Each structure stands twice: as structure tokens, then as C-alpha cells.
Amino acid sequence: MYKSTRGYEKLVSSSYAIINGLAEDKGLYVPFKIHKLKNSLEYLAGLPYEELAFCILKEFLDDFCDDDLRDCIYKAYDKKFEDNKILQIKSISNTHFLELYHGPTLAFKDVALCLFPYLLNKALINNKQKENILILTATSGDTGKAALEGFSDIPRIKIAVLYPKDGTSLIQKLQMITHRSNNSLVISLNGNFDDAQNCIKNILNDSKIKKEFNDNGFILSSANSINIGRLFPQIVYYFYAYGNLLNKNIIKHNEKINIVVPTGNFGNILSAYYAKKLGLPINKLICASNENNVLFDFINTGIYDRRRILKVTNSPSMDILISSNLERLLYDLSNEDSILIKNLMNSLEIQGFYEIPKSLKEKLNEIFYSDFATEKESINAINKVYKNFNYLIDPHTAVAYSVYEKYKEKTKDKTQTIIASTASPFKFPKTILQGLNVNTSNINDIEALNVLSKKTTLPIPTSLKNLDKKPIIHNNICPKDKVLQAIENFAHIGGDLLD
Ligand SMILES: *Cc1c(COP(=O)(O)O)cnc(C)c1O
């Protein structure tokens, strides 16, 4: 069963939590209890990805029957992934890049978003729900296309994606606005990612709006990582990576590892924390920020302060000032003190900041370490890794690498370390070329793809070829106060359909 981080007392099933996204008191759903896995790490290391996913997801989705859960997993993890491999690991001495970007949209979000729609579809059946679902998603670039792809033409589900007009890379934007399916709407928002996320949260939190949609046969939900259906599939790859290192004798039985995660909304690193709770031996979880370093400040001072200007950086999927999933971590670390969490979150919303008690900060620092990389440092990291190891990393992964280098320098820690490699470098070709000292002032992202491919002799991923020649399907630009109307029109509610 699931409960809310803000103390609302009703317990709900996993299907209910997946369908509804947010709890009624605006809190986030969390599992009633997370137990250590019964199976040994050696046993888990011997499983194929799908069966490992089954073992782990079974812990969290207890109202799904085994056959249904397996069915979802096997449908999700098929030929959509390059070479049928969900992930690949590239090791450079004791640093292991966990390449999570071999799915259809070339970012780690595919791993969760290929599975989530199937889970949602089964959840509707488990919950005997008659209504259809309208998914609302804010994106800083990668979630949007991954969600559009995952939900493409899935029965009973419509999806609307909201992205910040100037907040994504050209390739990310093209991936979204050229997306063709019968059930999707893509809106460009005049604002930044936090505006987009707030827009969606405000709609999802408004009981009047929700009722209006309900009356018209739609349940509103979200595909952002505030939905548990997004988080749990991400736990699997940390276990899989650990098993891989065990099988290769790189680590010994029960040896602890570090995990470095380039962090935005705190979903991916929270999944790693849940993996630790399930029994994965983790020494430090290293939270890497870019110049929007709210989390770095928070982990080092105990003060979360969003009162600053959001910068657009080369790692756009981390350009976030309000990391929603942190709420789940603080809930857990505070021994589920929902009154404290409610106060902190209210303070964040109204005053723009909060400070956690000292004892909570100490607990946080036992497990989490954080630093950030400047734009220059992450470009340098791309350069260094390519020059020294002939290996390309994307700008988000470069932030993680740069932070990890600083961590090693400071702590002299030699623990085997996994770096979550979150996107294909080909999604950000201009930034990568800058890292390789190629002048890009006269070319755009699309031209840069070819230059990058020639320079590195690596092929352009198929899904990005001819992206600029595809017809543009979605060209809505909305101010904040028109978003709801656009979504209503899309769902055929209220608005003028001839508009
Ligand atoms: C979404 C994203 C991140 C941030 O992940 P969170 O789970 O939001 O912390 C990092 N890198 C890439 C490439 C992403 O798409």
C-alpha cells in the first residue's frame, strides 16, 4: 500500500497511486514500507534484465498479478532498445559509465517510460476504472519525447506535453514537435521548466478542474517522476549494473559502490536510494548539479532556497530549481515525519526556502555527497574523457564526471563507482563539439550532428537522422494562463472545438 508524504491518512493501492500521480493532500505517494529483498545479490546478478525487473517491481506493485507484470515488462523491453540491451556498461579503471540511453529517444527516461504506459493501462483494469486517462507532463527536454514515444497510440490514454520554449536543445524540441501519434498534444510554454512544472502541478492539484475532466470521462495524471510508476523501473538498472560488476569480478560479494547521478528532479538518484533500502551495498550517493546548484547548496548547508534565477545551461534536463522528489527522501530520512514535511514544503512554496533540522542534515550527509560543475568544467570533462579514453559523454554525464573527479580529489575515495550516463552525446552535438574544440558558431544542432559523426567516426543514431526533414506536427505556443484551455480543447472539454 501507498501513503502520502504529507500525512493524509488514506492508504491506496499501487494501481491507484499510478493512476492518480499525486496524493490528495498534494503530497507524493511513497510505499508503506520498503523491505530488503529476500533474494541474494548473487542470485539477482544471474537474472536477465526482464526477470530482475520482475523481482524488484513485484516488491512495489503488489496488486499486479505476476502474469500481468511480466507481460508489461516483456512488452516494454523489446526491440525498441538498441541490440535488445537495456543498458551497456563502459568501464574506465574504477569508473563505470552506466549507459542508460540506448532506448528509442536516447535518454535514460526511456527505461521507465517504455514500461510506465503498460503499467498504467493494467492499473486502470486493476482499479476497475471506466474513465480514460489524460497524462499531463512538463518536460525540461527528455521526458517529453520519451513520454510521447512510450504512450504512442496506447488505448485509453491521451498525453499532453508542456516544454519551456527556449529551455530545450534544438534536437530535443524537434523530437517533440515532429512526433506523430493520434493521442498527443505538444505545447511550447512561454516560460522556463519550473513554470511548466508548476502549470501542470496547479492543474493536477485543482479539484475543480479535475472534477470537470472527470465529468467528461478523463482522469488527469502525470508521467513525471512524481509518479511512482516512473521511479521504480529505475531501481532495476542499479541492481543490474551491480550484478554486472559482480559477474566480472570487479567487485566482491557485498562490496560497496558509489553511484554518481547528474540530478534534476531528483528522481533518478532517489531510485538509487531506494535500491540501497532494498539492500544494494552503496557507500555514497553523489548528487551532481550543474550551475543551477540548488541541491548542492542544500546538501551542504541544509537550506533549500529556490529564490534565484534559473539559468539555461548545456545540460538542459537538469535546469530545475524545484526538485520534487527530494520530498520523498526527506520524508524517509525524517522517520516519516509528515508534519515536518508539510511545513517544509509550505515554506518552500510561500517563502521560497526552508531549512531542515540539524539531525536530519546529519543523516542526509551520511549517505549523500554533492557538488556542482560549471559550464566550463563540464565542457572540459567532455574534452578530457574523449582525449584520454576515446569515449564520448553527453553534457549531463559530463557534469557527473566532473563532480566525481572533484570528489575523488577531495576524499581520496577509491571505491568502485558507477556514473549514471543519462543521454546520448548525439542529442547535444553542438556542446560536444565545443568540448572537442570544434568551432560551432556558424552551425546549428542538426548540422553539428554530421560534423560530430565525421569527426568521431561514430554513426548518427537512426532516430535522429532526418529529424529536420520531418513535418512539424505541433506548433502551439502558449502563455501560462492559456495552457489549461489548450489542454481542455485537446480533450474536447468546454473550449471551442472549431478554434
Ligand atoms: C531528466 C534527466 C536528468 C535528471 O534526472 P532526474 O531524475 O530528473 O534527476 C539528467 N540527465 C538527463 C539526460 C535527463 O534527461
Side-chain angles (χ1 to χ4, degrees):
M1 300 300 271
Y2 285 77
K3 57 189 169 181
S4 162
T5 48
R6 301 200 192 171
Y8 182 69
E9 285 180 3
K10 195 168 104 184
L11 290 180
V12 304
S13 67
S14 60
S15 293
Y16 185 95
I18 287 177
I19 292 170
N20 290 283
L22 273 177
E24 273 151 79
D25 60 356
K26 304 187 186 182
L28 303 182
Y29 283 120
V30 284
F32 189 72
K33 185 142 181 52
I34 300 181
H35 299 279
K36 279 220 157 81
L37 291 177
K38 287 186 201 75
N39 295 312
S40 72
L41 292 165
E42 281 70 19
Y43 171 79
L44 297 171
L47 296 177
Y49 196 90
E50 294 86 344
E51 287 302 312
L52 178 66
F54 176 78
C55 261
I56 290 170
L57 291 171
K58 187 73 199 148
E59 288 292 311
F60 294 101
L61 308 178
D62 52 358
D63 64 330
F64 284 63
C65 72
D66 289 5
D67 286 350
D68 279 355
L69 189 54
R70 279 213 169 79
D71 185 47
C72 291
I73 291 169
Y74 280 84
K75 274 185 182 139
Y77 300 134
D78 63 0
K79 291 190 289 298
K80 290 190 276 302
F81 287 82
E82 196 183 323
D83 301 331
N84 264 356
K85 281 198 208 124
I86 312 307
L87 57 87
Q88 299 181 25
I89 297 174
K90 165 83 184 176
S91 297
I92 296 170
S93 69
N94 69 349
T95 309
H96 310 280
F97 290 92
L98 182 60
E99 294 180 359
L100 299 167
Y101 53 78
H102 296 287
T105 76
L106 309 175
F108 85 96
K109 294 187 172 78
D110 285 326
V111 180
L113 278 163
C114 280
L115 179 56
F116 178 69
Y118 293 108
L119 296 178
L120 186 57
N121 202 292
K122 285 280 196 285
L124 280 176
I125 299 166
N126 288 346
N127 226 34
K128 302 196 171 45
Q129 214 86 43
K130 296 263 184 310
E131 299 90 340
N132 294 326
I133 293 227
L134 174 54
I135 293 283
L136 305 181
T137 289
T139 182
S140 56
D142 288 327
T143 302
K145 177 61 180 176
L148 289 165
E149 197 64 40
F151 282 104
S152 220
D153 301 324
I154 295 254
R156 301 186 60 185
I157 302 177
K158 282 192 173 202
I159 170 164
V161 168
L162 191 60
Y163 72 91
K165 190 160 125 327
D166 303 313
T168 70
S169 79
L170 175 63
I171 288 184
Q172 289 175 318
K173 179 174 156 176
L174 283 173
Q175 280 185 312
M176 289 187 276
I177 64 178
T178 61
H179 180 83
R180 189 189 284 279
S181 65
N182 287 325
N183 59 347
S184 60
L185 171 73
V186 178
I187 304 170
S188 163
L189 179 75
N190 244 329
N192 62 32
F193 173 72
D194 285 315
D195 297 327
Q197 178 151 272
N198 276 334
C199 246
I200 299 292
K201 271 195 182 165
N202 289 341
I203 296 177
L204 289 175
N205 279 328
D206 188 320
S207 46
K208 238 180 85 195
I209 299 175
K210 275 169 91 162
K211 182 167 184 314
E212 179 197 294
F213 276 92
N214 269 175
D215 291 345
N216 284 279
F218 281 102
I219 301 172
L220 296 184
S221 190
S222 159
N224 281 92
S225 55
I226 51 176
N227 195 309
I228 58 160
R230 272 283 305 278
L231 285 179
F232 300 146
Q234 296 176 168
I235 298 172
V236 180
Y237 47 68
Y238 292 117
F239 273 91
Y240 193 80
Y242 189 90
N244 187 284
L245 298 185
L246 263 185
N247 293 341
K248 288 187 197 149
N249 292 321
I250 291 171
I251 50 175
K252 290 192 289 292
H253 175 71
N254 266 341
E255 183 172 334
K256 287 188 172 176
I257 57 164
N258 296 325
I259 299 179
V260 192
V261 185
T263 298
N265 220 5
F266 213 77
N268 204 4
I269 198 166
L270 182 75
S271 299
Y273 174 75
Y274 282 156
K276 182 176 164 70
K277 291 197 64 119
L278 289 171
L280 195 69
I282 291 173
N283 173 43
K284 282 281 176 198
L285 289 170
I286 300 171
C287 171
S289 300
N290 65 19
E291 286 183 10
N292 294 298
N293 55 6
V294 190
L295 285 167
F296 158 76
D297 284 343
F298 172 67
I299 290 171
N300 290 291
T301 65
I303 299 170
Y304 196 102
D305 192 343
R306 67 165 167 83
R307 294 169 301 177
R308 51 183 97 192
I309 307 282
L310 187 84
K311 297 181 189 169
V312 174
T313 72
N314 287 325
S315 40
S317 300
M318 298 160 70
D319 292 344
I320 294 175
L321 293 181
I322 301 168
S323 298
S324 304
N325 276 298
L326 188 59
E327 178 170 347
R328 286 185 164 114
L329 176 71
L330 296 178
Y331 178 76
D332 198 76
L333 289 177
S334 67
N335 297 321
E336 315 199 331
D337 185 344
S338 54
I339 296 173
L340 172 72
I341 299 302
K342 199 169 170 166
N343 289 338
L344 295 179
M345 296 306 141
N346 280 341
S347 165
L348 180 65
E349 191 174 324
I350 295 156
Q351 283 152 307
F353 74 100
Y354 61 75
E355 177 165 13
I356 55 171
K358 202 160 159 259
S359 56
L360 184 53
K361 178 173 182 293
E362 279 165 11
K363 273 177 122 176
L364 177 72
N365 292 147
E366 275 170 28
I367 308 167
F368 286 84
Y369 178 94
S370 182
D371 206 336
F372 73 101
T374 62
E375 290 290 89
K376 191 151 178 268
E377 285 170 332
S378 51
I379 298 269
N380 286 344
I382 293 168
N383 181 284
K384 185 175 161 193
V385 173
Y386 189 69
K387 215 162 68 192
N388 295 346
F389 311 110
N390 194 29
Y391 181 57
L392 271 190
I393 54 176
D394 99 290
H396 303 78
T397 311
V399 167
Y401 184 80
S402 170
V403 164
Y404 176 54
E405 290 276 281
K406 289 195 232 180
Y407 167 81
K408 274 195 300 191
E409 171 118 11
K410 229 180 239 166
T411 61
K412 311 288 176 222
D413 182 6
K414 298 210 164 43
T415 305
Q416 298 287 336
T417 297
I418 285 175
I419 296 183
S421 184
T422 49
S424 159
F426 278 91
K427 266 191 125 162
F428 309 93
K430 267 186 90 158
T431 308
I432 304 299
L433 284 173
Q434 281 166 35
L436 308 188
N437 295 324
V438 178
N439 183 350
T440 57
S441 50
N442 292 322
I443 57 174
N444 68 23
D445 249 0
I446 297 291
E447 291 155 332
L449 274 178
N450 292 312
V451 180
L452 181 59
S453 173
K454 275 213 190 84
K455 177 153 176 87
T456 59
T457 68
L458 295 168
I460 299 173
T462 327
S463 63
L464 298 184
K465 274 187 201 153
N466 301 321
L467 196 54
D468 57 324
K469 307 209 172 52
K470 288 191 179 162
I472 290 170
I473 314 276
H474 309 272
N475 50 11
N476 304 293
I477 300 177
C478 265
K480 276 178 254 179
D481 59 348
K482 289 283 187 301
V483 169
L484 178 60
Q485 202 188 339
I487 294 171
E488 285 171 340
N489 286 351
F490 170 59
H492 294 206
I493 294 176
D496 183 354
L497 294 182
L498 298 173
D499 216 40

